[in-house]
Amino acid sequence: MSSENQELKKAGLKVTLPRVKILQILENAGDHHMSADDVYRTLLDQGEDVGLATVYRVLTQFESAGLVARHHFEAGTAVFELAKGDHHDHMICLETGKVVEFVDPIIERRQHEIAEEHGYEIEDHNLILYVRPKKG
């Protein structure tokens, strides 16, 4: 049984061709974050007959099952990445759209301290830094 089939079954999802294909596309994307349209265009390029509505539905199912994480980096456009189980934050270049993932233990610790100082504990969070290249 392929690793995609095992991942789908472990997440409680029935193994279907669209689900397997979409999971493969996300796995092959590496650190690249893909929109539903990106996934759809990749399927079309591969000669797959899967509709855009199916792509959206499968990505939503994957998110509910914890297989992918959804981010809103650009105005109105959701992008997806495989949920690797490790927390990381993102930097988005405003000029190129490049997404850089990073982990900083000092930032993580400080966020928890700030929540604690205000009488809270963090359940979840997303840190997105919008950046530009430094000028000479």
Side-chain angles (χ1 to χ4, degrees):
M1 183 184 302
S2 76
S3 64
E4 289 86 8
N5 291 5
Q6 290 172 344
E7 286 182 62
L8 290 171
K9 286 185 179 212
K10 191 167 72 176
L13 295 171
K14 183 178 174 189
V15 177
T16 64
L17 186 61
R19 287 181 180 147
V20 170
K21 292 292 185 185
I22 291 169
L23 190 55
Q24 286 173 341
I25 288 168
L26 292 171
E27 287 173 343
N28 292 333
D31 287 340
H32 181 70
H33 300 73
M34 299 186 77
S35 69
D37 287 335
D38 294 333
V39 172
Y40 176 66
R41 281 193 300 277
T42 303
L43 286 165
L44 290 179
D45 291 346
Q46 293 176 353
E48 299 296 335
D49 186 24
V50 177
L52 183 57
T54 299
V55 172
Y56 276 103
R57 186 174 58 255
V58 168
L59 288 171
T60 300
Q61 292 166 347
F62 283 2
E63 182 184 18
S64 296
L67 289 174
V68 301
R70 178 190 307 247
H71 302 288
H72 296 277
F73 295 145
E74 303 166 20
T77 303
V79 292
F80 299 85
E81 68 176 329
L82 286 179
K84 302 168 195 147
D86 60 337
H87 171 78
H88 58 270
D89 296 308
H90 298 90
M91 280 191 297
I92 314 301
C93 178
L94 294 171
E95 291 183 13
T96 65
K98 180 180 177 182
V99 178
V100 177
E101 296 179 350
F102 70 94
V103 175
D104 187 304
I106 295 170
I107 291 174
E108 295 303 313
R109 185 187 80 240
R110 199 55 201 121
Q111 289 174 113
H112 287 279
E113 290 171 356
I114 291 167
E116 179 75 25
E117 289 167 11
H118 292 273
Y120 296 99
E121 62 182 83
I122 295 176
E123 289 290 320
D124 191 19
H125 77 281
N126 270 317
L127 175 64
I128 304 170
L129 303 175
Y130 295 93
V131 300
R132 289 190 193 285
K134 289 174 78 173
K135 305 275 190 238

